[in-house]
Amino acid sequence: MSRKQEILQCYTEKGICLYETPEINGIRQYIQIRGADKNAPLMLFLHGGPGGSMAGLCHVMQPEWEHHFTVVNWDQRNACKTYLANKSNAAAISQSGTLEDYMADIDAVIAYLHTVYDFEKIILMGFSWGSLIGAEYAKRHGETVSHYIGVGQFIHYIDGLHYSCEWLRKVVKDAPADVEKINAFENSIPDPPQMTPAFMNSLQGFSMLGAKYIAKDGRAFPIKSLLTSPFLRFGEKMAMVHGNPKLLSGTYQTMLSHDFRNNLHFDMPVLFVSGDEDFVCPNELLAQHFGQITAPQKKNVVISKATHTCFYDQPTAFLDTIIDFTK
């Protein structure tokens, strides 16, 4: 059996490996279900980005998860496989992406999973942008979600940028040229907020500074693993590498206007996990309001020597944390 076949097929007869593109709210949306034991708890992973599908890299980012959970990856509106399955309608889909669109999509994804799997409630894990829609869904649906896990929890986009600018300024205070770059970036943030091409270019420069000074322990993005991924066709790999922001215009509006702090009540246990070097969604912004969160159980874990993708930088520490939380 080839390496590709080994990855794509189930671990044992007890496992599940399912790859389908059912219709979700009028759009064909890709869903991937993988796990070594169908009796393991079911976890729906909401990818970041927006548009940052994880399905093609599950063998790199999530391999050990699949020995403890049945992991569901879903390509959201205009992301990777879902985008290519609806390419002729992508421009119209780009204008969607309200919070209610995503709430309805998650509802429909869970309804689809009930046709495949026998379960009462689901573990919901949201990463970065995915934690925006994940937290909001969990707040509304205690009857559906058993545990909520926010990884690099989104709080408020603009407030997060201002906090990260101040953090980075303190770190680079002895490098005047870089302080000036941070100031220029902060002054470039549009008011009212909008994801313009110029602002996205500024974001790239700011991210490079953050990686240089703060996110020093991050593992390099596995571009080779993406380009050789057995889960992706060539066009899907190119869609991942060369994403078009115009395809997510409606979603960006949702991201720029949303505030996690408007409702801090959960009816299920909640876990927040961040890297101590995460300047994209800094944990301190969550920590400032953590005491106001109400839930049957709540926990905020910061993993050492980890960046925004703490599950990739420190996979053992991350997995141990979520296993302990959900057992």
Side-chain angles (χ1 to χ4, degrees):
M1 182 182 296
S2 70
R3 172 62 175 157
K4 178 177 179 179
Q5 289 173 319
E6 288 178 355
I7 293 173
L8 289 174
Q9 292 185 9
C10 290
Y11 299 91
T12 67
E13 293 181 358
K14 293 170 56 181
I16 181 171
C17 292
L18 184 64
Y19 315 97
E20 294 191 343
T21 313
E23 185 171 299
I24 302 291
N25 292 329
I27 305 170
R28 291 179 61 205
Q29 302 200 39
Y30 177 73
I31 297 177
Q32 175 191 92
I33 309 172
R34 289 175 54 86
D37 185 347
K38 286 179 289 207
N39 293 317
L42 188 63
M43 175 190 291
L44 172 58
F45 180 83
L46 305 177
H47 66 67
S53 167
M54 197 71 77
L57 285 172
C58 64
H59 61 304
V60 177
M61 302 288 188
Q62 305 168 345
E64 294 304 315
W65 303 9
E66 296 173 4
H67 290 278
H68 301 273
F69 304 93
T70 297
V71 183
V72 180
N73 277 287
W74 156 51
D75 282 5
Q76 300 161 23
R77 292 168 177 253
N78 273 357
C80 201
K81 288 178 180 283
T82 293
Y83 158 64
L84 290 175
N86 305 275
K87 194 172 182 179
S88 62
N89 197 34
I93 295 170
S94 73
Q95 300 304 307
S96 69
T98 66
L99 185 62
E100 298 308 318
D101 287 333
Y102 282 104
M103 297 300 96
D105 282 354
I106 296 173
D107 258 340
V109 168
I110 292 174
Y112 162 79
L113 292 173
H114 276 290
T115 70
V116 178
Y117 229 76
D118 183 19
F119 66 97
E120 181 179 354
K121 292 187 178 184
I122 194 166
I123 299 168
L124 191 62
M125 181 190 292
F127 167 56
S128 195
W129 148 258
S131 73
L132 184 161
I133 57 176
E136 287 309 305
Y137 188 85
K139 291 170 186 177
R140 301 182 187 193
H141 292 284
E143 79 286 356
T144 302
V145 180
S146 66
H147 301 76
Y148 171 68
I149 303 171
V151 183
Q153 180 62 49
F154 177 101
I155 304 299
H156 184 273
Y157 191 77
I158 300 302
D159 285 358
L161 284 180
H162 287 308
Y163 181 87
S164 294
C165 285
E166 186 59 30
W167 182 11
L168 192 52
R169 258 193 299 267
K170 292 176 182 177
V171 174
V172 307
K173 63 183 185 298
D174 296 326
D178 285 339
V179 171
E180 188 57 36
K181 289 178 183 178
I182 297 165
N183 293 339
F185 165 72
E186 194 163 24
N187 290 332
S188 77
I189 299 173
D191 186 18
Q194 52 185 315
M195 198 62 71
T196 64
F199 179 49
M200 294 193 79
N201 285 336
S202 296
L203 274 171
Q204 290 180 352
F206 180 68
S207 296
M208 290 174 66
L209 275 178
K212 176 182 176 182
Y213 286 101
I214 295 177
K216 295 180 178 180
D217 293 299
R219 295 173 65 189
F221 181 80
I223 186 66
K224 182 178 179 181
S225 296
L226 174 64
L227 295 176
T228 59
S229 172
F231 297 95
L232 301 172
R233 297 187 178 94
F234 178 78
E236 293 162 347
K237 294 171 185 177
M238 293 303 98
M240 286 284 293
V241 174
H242 303 293
N244 183 353
K246 292 181 180 179
L247 297 173
L248 298 162
S249 56
T251 298
Y252 280 130
Q253 291 177 24
T254 298
M255 182 178 76
L256 291 171
S257 63
H258 187 75
D259 194 333
F260 169 89
R261 299 165 295 192
N262 287 339
N263 175 11
L264 294 173
H265 177 73
F266 294 83
D267 288 326
M268 73 290 298
V270 294
L271 168 68
F272 302 100
V273 189
S274 299
D276 63 344
E277 300 174 8
D278 184 353
F279 68 95
V280 178
C281 291
N283 182 268
E284 179 57 31
L285 206 58
L286 169 70
Q288 291 173 6
H289 304 278
F290 186 72
Q292 299 165 279
I293 295 173
T294 57
Q297 175 190 353
K298 62 180 182 179
K299 193 171 185 180
N300 185 21
V301 175
V302 178
I303 296 177
S304 178
K305 294 187 177 181
T307 68
H308 192 47
T309 51
C310 56
F311 52 85
Y312 179 52
D313 296 331
Q314 299 292 344
T316 301
F318 178 83
L319 183 59
D320 287 347
T321 298
I322 64 172
I323 290 173
D324 181 66
F325 172 67
T326 56
K327 66 184 179 184

